[in-house]
Amino acid sequence: MMWEQTREGAGTTMPGGDQEPGSYYVGVDVGTGSVRAALVDQRGIILAFADQPINRWEPQFNHHEQSSEDIWAACCVVTKQVVQGIDVNQIRGLGFDATCSLVVLDKQFRPLPVNHEGESHRNIIMWLDHRAVSQVHRINETKHRVLQCVGGVMSVEMQAPKLLWLKENLRETCWDKAGHFFDLPDFLSWKATGVTARSLCSLVCKWTYSAEKGWDDSFWKMVGLEDFVADNYSKIGNQMLPPGASLGNGLTPEAAKDLGLPAGIAVAASLIDAHAGGLGVIGADVRGYGLACEGQPVTSRLAVICGTSSCHMGISKDPIFVPGVWGPYFSAMVPGFWLNEGGQSVTGKLIDHMVQGHAAFPELQAKATARCQSVYAYLNSHLDLIKKARPVGFLTVDLHVWPDFHGNRSPLADLTLKGMFGTRLIVEAMEAAGHSLSTLFLCGGLSKNPLFVQTHADITGMPVVLSQEAESVLVGAAVLGACASGDFTSVQNPLIRKTRGIRTSTLLWVCWFKLGWVTKLSGSSVEQPYLAIRCSDKMLWVLGLKEREGKVSLMR
């Protein structure tokens, strides 16, 4: 099932065979549990891959912390690994993406503690940290106009409530000493170049910055963070660059030595990890598969980046305000387009929690180990056996539990909820507000699980496309480096060129069928009519269905 859903573990894959001389780009992706790097060529093909685990701490419930020094060290390890055996002078650019975690440094750029224990090496409040519940409630009670661009309700995972928590709880040990608050992607680009300019992606999506109007002084004063206004936002960023812009004079000699790369190569303004995944898949070439989106603009596509959490990225030419969905953010992912971002918090981790917390988990572990499989691969094979007798959908006819224990991010934006809300509700909310979506493009660890992908197609009624190059987030990071190098004129240029170079994407199946393809199950004891969907003479899934305008639609 989800054997690579949380980017953890260590290993390296090196290129096989001789490669013709050319230009290469390095993409570095910092996830929740590991740092990954890839060497990517001008066709958008990954030639080498490496990953390295990183530490995390949970000193108390809902407090999640990491170390910027530990993360940078891991970046150095994996980057050195992927460039082994090549002429590093052929590397033209470097791009970073990372989780939207909060990094705190003092005025001399040294780590400061974000914990009551005073452990300064633990200087990152992770994206999934929910310590600032009280603070985000007070922020939302202001109903300030900046909240319109976060779906009307700010998430506890954004930076403003975390900053307010630090001011109220760690005034002497952290807040008063702080000189710099970075989003993790911006910390990495600063570490590589010495340039403190922030990426428009980070500031717009997580810090309330407006690409058109800049910072809103009244918001920071209203929520009790007037300190930033007084120092002209120097601690959180008063210089912004679009993703892919070249930073300063490129890689510093010190960082070059750490990473095993030549000094001076181009380093790009960064992206949040989900946005790098969106950049890596949303422009994919799907010609020849009969998809509706083939003849439609890129705005008909929804990129779903699914790993530790799931992020749903849709773009539009004009701003669209979707209740409970973040955005619209201008040029935060693709230049010239507005971005809306829905999401489900810690999707992959919560599936882990459900499986590992079950009473039968020890037995499952033993059986999977005996077959040299992951527990999720074993579960998938077990479901395949069940499907021989009856469709798997009958397992959830009477009861379906969705492990949404960490609150609902979108579209209800309620961190207290513990229920079933998913991709389909997000799609419906976005379409009701004005988006026109026809196809899902999935990437990330969970997208490698056939059952997870199939279920998304079943429930949304949309075709699902997977890139043949599975590590789309790393491709997106490398696209940034390619843009910064000057080899391409903008992010959109390498976006189109590289995703077409991935030798097309794989269409799984389409869930809108002609009525003649749908047959009613016999002997069903359920009250509602359940129909079996057949495609290419193969039973795929069972859903509650009803007819509408000559098509089949899902019952609510």
Side-chain angles (χ1 to χ4, degrees):
M1 194 173 172
M2 283 133 300
W3 52 90
E4 290 190 53
Q5 62 184 358
T6 62
R7 295 168 282 186
E8 296 178 358
T12 306
T13 302
M14 299 305 295
D18 296 329
Q19 296 292 331
E20 294 183 3
S23 297
Y24 302 115
Y25 313 96
V26 174
V28 178
D29 164 46
V30 179
T32 301
S34 69
V35 175
R36 310 182 308 154
L39 181 70
V40 179
D41 68 11
Q42 289 181 307
R43 300 167 295 170
I45 297 174
I46 291 179
L47 305 177
F49 168 88
D51 68 342
Q52 177 78 10
I54 50 179
N55 294 314
R56 53 186 288 191
W57 293 267
E58 189 177 357
Q60 56 183 290
F61 180 67
N62 270 339
H63 288 229
H64 299 270
E65 299 166 7
Q66 287 181 316
S67 163
S68 63
E69 293 178 338
D70 175 58
I71 287 174
W72 179 252
C75 290
C76 297
V77 169
V78 293
T79 302
K80 287 178 178 177
Q81 288 177 341
V82 298
V83 299
Q84 289 178 7
I86 70 161
D87 179 0
V88 293
N89 292 311
Q90 293 176 242
I91 298 173
R92 297 273 299 151
L94 171 65
F96 291 99
D97 73 76
T99 63
C100 48
S101 300
L102 177 65
V103 184
V104 186
L105 305 176
D106 68 12
K107 295 176 179 62
Q108 288 74 44
F109 296 95
R110 296 172 301 199
L112 284 172
V114 295
N115 49 77
H116 291 292
E117 295 81 8
E119 298 286 345
S120 60
H121 66 284
R122 288 159 38 196
N123 67 318
I124 296 177
I125 299 180
M126 293 183 66
W127 65 270
L128 53 75
D129 186 289
H130 279 199
R131 69 181 68 185
V133 171
S134 171
Q135 288 75 17
V136 79
H137 281 324
R138 281 180 273 143
I139 289 172
N140 286 324
E141 286 173 356
T142 69
K143 299 188 184 301
H144 193 278
R145 57 178 173 265
V146 301
L147 301 180
Q148 295 175 4
C149 285
V150 292
V153 180
M154 181 171 285
S155 167
V156 70
E157 295 172 7
M158 291 185 173
Q159 307 301 15
K162 294 174 182 175
L163 291 164
L164 187 57
W165 186 93
L166 289 173
K167 182 176 181 179
E168 294 177 348
N169 291 272
L170 299 177
R171 183 92 189 215
E172 294 183 0
T173 58
C174 179
W175 184 261
D176 289 343
K177 297 179 180 179
H180 308 275
F181 297 97
F182 284 104
D183 224 70
L184 182 53
D186 292 323
F187 164 81
L188 296 172
S189 59
W190 162 76
K191 190 72 174 177
T193 65
V195 176
T196 59
R198 278 27 173 217
S199 168
L200 196 63
C201 174
S202 299
L203 290 192
V204 167
C205 295
K206 306 300 176 184
W207 296 73
T208 75
Y209 184 82
S210 168
E212 297 177 304
K213 301 176 182 178
W215 294 112
D216 190 319
D217 294 353
S218 65
F219 169 73
W220 297 101
K221 292 176 180 178
M222 184 177 290
V223 301
L225 293 171
E226 63 281 349
D227 319 49
F228 297 136
V229 181
D231 69 6
N232 193 32
Y233 300 99
S234 64
K235 292 183 180 180
I236 62 174
N238 52 21
Q239 181 185 1
M240 298 78 184
L241 293 172
S246 183
L247 291 167
N249 296 317
L251 199 61
T252 65
E254 181 182 1
K257 182 179 179 181
D258 289 344
L259 295 165
L261 297 173
I265 68 168
V267 179
S270 58
L271 279 172
I272 298 169
D273 54 351
H275 300 64
L279 186 67
V281 298
I282 204 165
D285 183 359
V286 293
R287 290 174 295 183
Y289 287 88
L291 287 171
C293 68
E294 179 179 337
Q296 296 177 351
V298 71
T299 53
S300 69
R301 305 176 177 194
L302 184 70
V304 183
I305 298 83
C306 36
T308 305
S309 279
S310 295
C311 298
H312 303 68
M313 322 292 279
I315 59 177
S316 57
K317 291 297 292 183
D318 299 305
I320 298 175
F321 292 86
V322 186
V325 173
W326 299 341
Y329 303 133
F330 185 67
S331 290
M333 186 173 78
V334 180
F337 287 86
W338 295 84
L339 171 70
N340 283 107
E341 178 187 353
Q344 297 166 268
S345 294
V346 292
T347 312
K349 283 296 186 185
L350 291 175
I351 295 175
D352 278 345
H353 176 73
M354 288 289 289
V355 173
Q356 295 171 8
H358 196 280
F361 182 67
E363 179 185 355
L364 169 63
Q365 261 189 320
K367 290 184 176 181
T369 301
R371 290 192 183 182
C372 298
Q373 291 180 306
S374 71
V375 293
Y376 297 107
Y378 180 87
L379 286 173
N380 274 6
S381 64
H382 185 65
L383 288 173
D384 288 339
L385 292 175
I386 293 175
K387 283 192 289 188
K388 293 180 179 179
R390 64 190 319 187
V392 176
F394 273 113
L395 293 175
T396 57
V397 165
D398 299 313
L399 176 66
H400 187 98
V401 178
W402 187 275
D404 208 354
F405 303 145
H406 209 53
N408 178 262
R409 184 187 296 173
S410 302
L412 302 181
D414 188 337
L415 61 86
T416 68
L417 288 180
K418 307 288 189 293
M420 178 185 170
F421 303 99
T423 295
R424 182 179 163 184
L425 288 183
I426 294 170
V427 170
E428 289 177 345
M430 292 179 71
E431 290 192 318
H435 282 275
S436 180
L437 304 171
S438 64
T439 310
L440 301 180
F441 287 70
L442 266 63
C443 69
L446 286 171
S447 70
K448 299 171 186 177
N449 182 285
L451 180 59
F452 183 86
V453 176
Q454 186 68 65
T455 303
H456 272 70
D458 294 336
I459 300 301
T460 63
M462 289 184 177
V464 172
V465 177
L466 298 179
S467 171
Q468 187 167 329
E469 185 58 82
E471 304 295 344
S472 298
V473 176
L474 283 167
V475 172
V479 164
L480 295 175
C483 181
S485 71
D487 292 349
F488 300 91
T489 56
S490 73
V491 167
Q492 290 191 54
N493 190 323
L495 167 67
I496 297 170
R497 179 169 173 176
K498 287 185 179 299
T499 50
R500 284 182 178 171
I502 295 173
R503 302 191 304 277
T504 198
S505 301
T506 304
L507 172 65
L508 294 185
W509 67 286
V510 184
C511 193
W512 293 126
F513 296 97
K514 296 178 181 178
L515 290 177
W517 293 4
V518 181
T519 59
K520 188 173 182 179
L521 289 175
S522 59
S524 173
S525 61
V526 297
E527 295 181 2
Q528 294 182 347
Y530 275 72
L531 305 178
I533 296 176
R534 295 181 181 274
C535 181
S536 301
D537 299 320
K538 184 177 182 180
M539 189 74 74
L540 292 174
W541 201 254
V542 177
L543 299 166
L545 302 170
K546 65 180 180 180
E547 296 181 14
R548 184 185 67 186
E549 298 177 355
K551 293 184 177 180
V552 176
S553 63
L554 305 176
M555 295 187 70
R556 296 199 57 136

